[in-house]
Amino acid sequence: MRVTPEDLIHPVVLCGGSGTRLWPASRESFPKQFIPLVEPDRSSFQATVARLGDPALFARATVVTNSESRFIVAEQIARIGVGADIVLEPQRRDSAAAVAVAALHAAARAPGALVLILAADHAIGDTPAFLAAVREAALGARAGAVMTLGLRPTAPATAYGYIQPGEPVEGAGAARRVERFHEKPDAARAAGLIAEGALWNSGYFLFRADVMLEELRTHAPQVLAAATEALAAATRDLDFVRLDPDAFARAPQISIDYAVMERTTRAGVLPVSFPWSDIGTWDALWDASDRDRDGNAVRGRAVLRGTRDSLVHVEGEALTTVVGLEGVVVVTTPDAVLVTARDAAGEVKELVAALRAAGEPEADAHRRIYRPWGSYERIDLGTRFQVKRITVKPGGRLSLQKHHHRAEHWIVVKGTAEVTVDDVVKLVHENEAAYLPIGCVHRLANPGKIPLELIEVQVGSYTGEDDIIRIEDVYGR
Amino acid sequence: MRVTPEDLIHPVVLCGGSGTRLWPASRESFPKQFIPLVEPDRSSFQATVARLGDPALFARATVVTNSESRFIVAEQIARIGVGADIVLEPQRRDSAAAVAVAALHAAARAPGALVLILAADHAIGDTPAFLAAVREAALGARAGAVMTLGLRPTAPATAYGYIQPGEPVEGAGAARRVERFHEKPDAARAAGLIAEGALWNSGYFLFRADVMLEELRTHAPQVLAAATEALAAATRDLDFVRLDPDAFARAPQISIDYAVMERTTRAGVLPVSFPWSDIGTWDALWDASDRDRDGNAVRGRAVLRGTRDSLVHVEGEALTTVVGLEGVVVVTTPDAVLVTARDAAGEVKELVAALRAAGEPEADAHRRIYRPWGSYERIDLGTRFQVKRITVKPGGRLSLQKHHHRAEHWIVVKGTAEVTVDDVVKLVHENEAAYLPIGCVHRLANPGKIPLELIEVQVGSYTGEDDIIRIEDVYGR
């Protein structure tokens, strides 16, 4: 029997969050879904996409993200050897618009296609249980319900919304109608909700594309109209589908929960019970992590003494030590350090807002900056100079550019560089240098098969990032 | 009236400690007495020497230190514009040998000279009160007592020894005979000692050189013999007096407290009450520091939220944040971070011992390494390359050297370098580069009037510090 698009589930991964509660590891420029937090070698985004690998169950995945994260998304899915369509939102418009686009995108392939909406930043401890739940929820979705997965609570959590299940959905296994959605409660109310049989709202949705489009038409017609136009006028940009910015901007900024789920009569929920976390805070990450017999979850170069029930997360080379503390979070990165009580970890979002208001660059930007051609990282800064380590992927090409206020010295330490200086193009090999006088038109590219690494020493009266005049760029920047 | 050496007090600053309890700011390679900890702009060593600036009261100071710290000592006293004799101990031999050398050194100028022994790593909050105490203690010393300063306790501290004062020293103001010395007590015993009128043992000594030499002859003749020979056979090394290593090695390793103070009948103590701390731990530094209204002592680039009674000490550029904690110590440096409960700060010494046993280089070595010609700091390290920022003082000259396994690229980012490559000597100016092929004989010097800064990119199969063949060195290394 041939599998048709109608038989498969079309997964859509929403990947636009900024995750400031997990600062300083997670920042606007490289948010938490792209960082290995729970697993040592892959990000939660990669784990999410990898979970959708069974071609007998899932169609090719769609990732909805923003323009800033597009090269990270492309690189991370390439690394795990999975193909996906990448749809770019020109602005943040919350989840209703993204779900509308997802439904339209799937309906174009098959009107009755099943669509599964997933968050990119959740941890799931038992993939077979998750897949079994998706299969079972699909019964409800095929029967016309807009399904969610409702986790059986393991604690009176105040960080999640709750769902009160009602009558069974006929002919759909364990699926139930949603009786009511509850906002995040306080601890006492959470205990009461659990006693009444309420479930955690996971934020996963599973529905027939045509059903969601009907519901949007009824409950959120402006969202649907904007999404329809934004997709119809979308452009291809390299490997990305870029939604039309003007049309998309007309979508009201509203979540799918408010726009549809709390209004529709077709909401359903499947009670499930695999290990799950939205990794909403450092404390939640501690909770979701493997811990040693002292209750510590440690990642990176750290030494603990007399310390219990703590999370230590080290990025970079600095040796991090913790002595005589209980229930703390210590996060060190090359340019920012966070030390907090685990039970105050929810305040990190306000901390980051305060840092941003004070103009601290570390609030949003990482030391290592990702670009379509590779990445760079400042390694030293003086009054009239700056030193960067630059990595260029095989085939990567920086823009053709010039600077008004600085000269640059490039020393290749690995691989081979193709260096353009005004009219001359030459190859520069390991342990060779190139000099770029102030004002020259230049370009760096990696013509080789291995990554190119070089040290750039900038010398001049001003070394800011905005002293770049781009003359030509293969990445359309 | 002409002031003679007999009239003046000859200060001797003992400067050989390693201060591992204040790791990671203080390390073997750059110990706490040289770091600005209590004051923002000068180290406790500098503050100690500056306190001795009145030429009507003090003779030229002598600093007793070890070979590793000699260039730091020389530079720090030059920076505060003070001259001092620098005596180098070839090995650590505890305080008795150092005091013996100090007494011999002063006696050579005048047998009855008064000698004041000071620690380089104490904080004193009221210099006029300290000087008044020294003047008053000098009365006891002239009368033949081996005086100490005894601080009136402000808390039942367990980190200090105690002194029980006895009868007054006749004709010597408030000076008293020492009734008894007490080892560091537990908290209950400390309270009892305070009730009995005991004083904190500050570790300052003031005596006539001839009196101390008599006491050493009686109570520690081996120490005196070794010190006498070590000084007699001392050599001049640049501006330093280097004690003879073989002779000095024969001195028993014993403190002046055990060797003399607890045995002599001539011990005296002056009760004093200026603000004082030996800055023995991070907790002690918190206690001695100015604190804001939340009780926090903060140094460097730090942001605190909902945090009380804590010490945050930041070296380098990393932004350090602390949220929702009480009574903690957070110390961040470019290559090591310490987070501890204030009341566990005493365990840092054991932490450092454990790091050392595990072979962690950060246990003893700082990222920035001081050399007689300036300093260097690794700013990046890869598998086949290393990048350093090198600073050379005006007039500084590195050794003539070569490497077997690496080539070097030097890019001058400030000042002017004189670069020798094999037979060629040339000047390299800001924004110019020099290339040093593997195996070439080369030297770097700063012929200018301002510090020279350059970025060194090393490329090769091995970039360890031990791949240096020194052919010639002006600093006798």
Side-chain angles (χ1 to χ4, degrees):
Chain A
M1 191 188 97
R2 192 166 159 276
V3 175
T4 71
E6 296 264 347
D7 300 321
L8 295 173
I9 295 173
H10 295 249
V12 178
V13 180
L14 304 189
C15 205
S18 66
T20 57
R21 283 192 183 85
L22 293 187
W23 184 91
S26 172
R27 304 184 204 178
E28 186 87 21
S29 73
F30 204 86
K32 66 172 177 170
Q33 56 269 28
F34 302 121
I35 302 172
L37 285 171
V38 179
E39 299 178 49
D41 299 320
R42 62 181 188 179
S43 68
S44 62
F45 166 63
Q46 288 175 307
T48 300
V49 175
R51 218 171 271 134
L52 310 170
D54 180 358
L57 182 60
F58 294 109
R60 179 179 166 98
T62 300
V63 178
V64 180
T65 188
N66 52 51
S67 210
E68 294 70 47
S69 298
R70 69 195 193 276
F71 295 109
I72 305 172
V73 164
E75 183 170 337
Q76 291 210 339
I77 56 181
R79 267 203 214 154
I80 56 172
V82 172
D85 295 336
I86 302 174
V87 176
L88 304 182
E89 294 183 313
Q91 308 92 11
R92 292 211 167 135
R93 272 293 173 267
D94 214 331
S95 56
V99 169
V101 168
L104 290 163
H105 190 67
R109 287 182 275 181
L114 289 186
V115 179
L116 171 65
I117 304 284
L118 306 100
D121 55 357
H122 290 184
I124 288 176
D126 182 346
T127 293
F130 168 75
L131 295 176
V134 168
R135 279 193 182 87
E136 192 167 359
L139 300 176
R142 283 195 210 284
V146 181
M147 295 296 296
T148 66
L149 301 183
L151 277 300
R152 291 196 185 84
T154 54
T158 57
Y160 304 133
Y162 284 72
I163 297 174
Q164 194 69 50
E167 297 299 303
V169 178
E170 218 160 300
R176 312 270 291 269
R177 302 269 160 215
V178 170
E179 181 79 26
R180 210 182 137 189
F181 290 93
H182 299 278
E183 302 268 334
K184 294 176 187 176
D186 61 25
R189 177 86 186 108
L193 286 168
I194 292 171
E196 293 162 24
L199 306 163
W200 288 341
N201 187 346
S202 67
Y204 292 79
F205 302 100
L206 184 53
F207 47 77
R208 267 192 1 231
D210 54 357
V211 170
M212 178 54 79
L213 293 175
E214 273 176 44
E215 295 304 305
L216 284 164
R217 203 168 295 124
T218 306
H219 302 293
Q222 284 179 289
V223 172
L224 182 60
T228 305
E229 288 169 50
L231 195 59
T235 53
R236 277 250 152 209
D237 170 4
L238 305 174
D239 296 328
F240 310 109
V241 174
R242 190 184 287 278
L243 297 173
D244 183 70
D246 296 335
F248 199 70
R250 288 195 288 274
Q253 190 147 3
I254 186 170
S255 73
I256 190 66
D257 303 80
Y258 288 125
V260 171
M261 298 306 289
E262 299 193 1
R263 299 176 186 179
T264 178
T265 57
R266 301 163 96 168
V269 59
L270 182 77
V272 296
S273 50
F274 46 80
W276 170 84
S277 170
D278 74 348
I279 315 290
T281 62
W282 286 112
D283 187 34
L285 178 61
W286 174 82
D287 206 45
S289 297
D290 291 334
R291 299 188 289 275
D292 63 24
R293 59 184 180 180
D294 292 324
N296 297 316
V298 179
R299 174 75 47 85
R301 198 161 166 240
V303 175
L304 279 61
R305 273 178 78 90
T307 294
R308 303 180 65 82
D309 299 333
S310 295
L311 176 84
V312 182
H313 179 94
V314 180
E315 293 181 3
E317 298 303 314
L319 175 64
T320 299
T321 63
V322 186
V323 178
L325 286 164
E326 208 173 310
V328 297
V329 169
V330 177
V331 183
T332 61
T333 72
D335 61 346
V337 172
L338 169 73
V339 181
T340 175
R342 260 182 43 223
D343 59 17
E347 287 175 42
V348 171
K349 189 179 183 176
E350 284 77 50
L351 171 73
V352 175
L355 296 177
R356 192 176 289 144
E360 303 290 359
E362 293 84 357
D364 293 314
H366 269 280
R367 166 95 49 117
R368 178 172 298 171
I369 308 288
Y370 289 84
R371 292 284 182 249
W373 44 260
S375 64
Y376 69 86
E377 190 172 349
R378 177 203 290 165
I379 57 174
D380 201 7
L381 178 67
T383 44
R384 284 175 54 84
F385 73 94
Q386 182 173 204
V387 186
K388 289 180 178 176
R389 177 181 184 170
I390 297 176
T391 304
V392 185
K393 297 175 204 173
R397 290 169 73 78
L398 281 70
S399 60
L400 187 69
Q401 57 184 239
K402 65 176 181 174
H403 312 293
H404 285 313
H405 303 291
R406 65 186 190 239
E408 293 177 345
H409 300 255
W410 289 344
I411 294 111
V412 175
V413 295
K414 186 179 170 195
T416 296
E418 182 193 278
V419 176
T420 305
V421 183
D422 293 326
D423 297 332
V424 179
V425 180
K426 61 179 173 181
L427 293 181
V428 181
H429 303 280
E430 186 180 304
N431 192 33
E432 294 178 350
Y435 175 62
L436 312 163
I438 290 185
C440 79
V441 174
H442 58 276
R443 163 174 267 162
L444 173 65
N446 179 1
K449 300 290 180 203
I450 60 166
L452 160 69
E453 284 189 68
L454 59 79
I455 303 298
E456 173 179 279
V457 181
Q458 306 177 348
V459 185
S461 53
Y462 177 71
T463 59
E465 276 312 302
D466 53 349
D467 179 19
I468 296 184
I469 295 98
R470 286 214 176 87
I471 296 150
E472 191 194 303
D473 183 36
V474 294
Y475 305 104
R477 294 175 302 173
Chain B
M1 191 186 96
R2 193 164 157 278
V3 176
T4 72
E6 297 262 348
D7 299 321
L8 294 174
I9 295 172
H10 295 250
V12 178
V13 181
L14 303 189
C15 206
S18 66
T20 56
R21 282 193 183 85
L22 293 187
W23 185 89
S26 171
R27 303 184 205 179
E28 187 87 22
S29 74
F30 203 87
K32 67 171 177 171
Q33 57 268 28
F34 302 122
I35 302 172
L37 285 172
V38 179
E39 300 178 48
D41 299 321
R42 62 181 188 178
S43 68
S44 61
F45 166 63
Q46 290 175 306
T48 300
V49 174
R51 220 171 269 132
L52 309 170
D54 179 358
L57 182 59
F58 294 109
R60 179 179 167 96
T62 301
V63 178
V64 180
T65 188
N66 53 50
S67 209
E68 294 70 47
S69 298
R70 68 195 193 278
F71 294 108
I72 305 173
V73 164
E75 183 171 338
Q76 291 211 338
I77 57 180
R79 266 203 214 155
I80 56 172
V82 171
D85 295 336
I86 302 174
V87 175
L88 304 182
E89 293 184 314
Q91 308 91 12
R92 293 213 166 134
R93 274 292 173 268
D94 215 330
S95 56
V99 168
V101 169
L104 290 162
H105 190 67
R109 287 183 275 181
L114 288 187
V115 179
L116 172 65
I117 304 286
L118 306 100
D121 55 357
H122 290 184
I124 288 177
D126 182 345
T127 293
F130 168 74
L131 295 176
V134 168
R135 279 194 182 89
E136 193 168 358
L139 300 177
R142 282 194 209 285
V146 180
M147 294 297 297
T148 66
L149 301 184
L151 277 301
R152 290 194 185 87
T154 53
T158 58
Y160 303 133
Y162 284 71
I163 297 175
Q164 194 70 49
E167 297 299 301
V169 177
E170 218 160 299
R176 311 271 290 270
R177 301 272 157 212
V178 170
E179 181 79 27
R180 210 181 139 191
F181 289 93
H182 298 279
E183 301 269 335
K184 293 176 187 177
D186 61 25
R189 177 86 186 108
L193 286 169
I194 293 170
E196 294 162 24
L199 305 164
W200 286 342
N201 187 347
S202 67
Y204 292 79
F205 302 100
L206 184 54
F207 48 76
R208 267 189 4 228
D210 54 359
V211 169
M212 178 54 79
L213 293 176
E214 273 175 44
E215 295 303 307
L216 284 164
R217 205 167 294 126
T218 306
H219 302 293
Q222 284 179 291
V223 171
L224 182 61
T228 306
E229 287 169 52
L231 195 60
T235 52
R236 277 251 151 209
D237 171 4
L238 305 176
D239 296 328
F240 309 109
V241 174
R242 190 185 286 277
L243 298 173
D244 182 70
D246 296 335
F248 198 71
R250 289 195 287 274
Q253 190 148 3
I254 185 170
S255 74
I256 189 68
D257 303 80
Y258 288 125
V260 170
M261 297 308 289
E262 300 194 1
R263 300 175 186 181
T264 178
T265 56
R266 299 162 97 169
V269 59
L270 182 76
V272 297
S273 50
F274 47 80
W276 170 84
S277 170
D278 73 347
I279 315 290
T281 62
W282 286 112
D283 187 34
L285 178 62
W286 174 82
D287 204 45
S289 298
D290 291 335
R291 299 188 289 275
D292 63 23
R293 61 185 180 177
D294 293 325
N296 297 316
V298 179
R299 174 74 49 86
R301 199 162 166 241
V303 175
L304 279 61
R305 273 178 78 89
T307 294
R308 304 180 64 82
D309 300 333
S310 295
L311 176 84
V312 182
H313 179 93
V314 180
E315 293 181 4
E317 299 303 313
L319 175 64
T320 299
T321 61
V322 186
V323 178
L325 285 165
E326 209 173 308
V328 297
V329 169
V330 178
V331 183
T332 62
T333 72
D335 62 345
V337 172
L338 169 73
V339 182
T340 175
R342 259 181 44 222
D343 59 17
E347 287 176 41
V348 172
K349 189 179 182 176
E350 284 77 49
L351 170 73
V352 175
L355 296 177
R356 192 178 289 143
E360 303 290 0
E362 294 83 358
D364 294 312
H366 269 279
R367 165 95 50 116
R368 179 172 296 171
I369 308 289
Y370 289 84
R371 291 285 182 250
W373 44 260
S375 64
Y376 69 86
E377 192 172 348
R378 177 202 292 165
I379 56 175
D380 201 6
L381 177 67
T383 43
R384 283 176 53 85
F385 73 94
Q386 181 174 206
V387 186
K388 289 181 178 176
R389 176 182 185 170
I390 297 177
T391 305
V392 185
K393 298 176 203 174
R397 290 168 74 78
L398 280 72
S399 60
L400 188 68
Q401 57 184 235
K402 64 176 181 175
H403 313 292
H404 285 311
H405 303 290
R406 64 183 190 242
E408 293 177 346
H409 299 255
W410 289 345
I411 295 111
V412 174
V413 295
K414 187 180 169 192
T416 296
E418 182 192 278
V419 176
T420 305
V421 183
D422 293 325
D423 296 331
V424 179
V425 180
K426 61 178 173 182
L427 292 180
V428 181
H429 303 278
E430 187 178 305
N431 193 31
E432 293 177 352
Y435 176 62
L436 311 163
I438 289 185
C440 79
V441 173
H442 58 276
R443 164 173 265 161
L444 174 65
N446 178 359
K449 302 291 182 202
I450 60 166
L452 160 68
E453 284 188 67
L454 58 81
I455 303 298
E456 173 179 279
V457 181
Q458 307 176 349
V459 185
S461 53
Y462 177 70
T463 59
E465 276 312 302
D466 53 348
D467 179 19
I468 296 185
I469 295 97
R470 285 214 176 87
I471 296 150
E472 191 194 302
D473 183 36
V474 295
Y475 305 104
R477 294 174 298 171

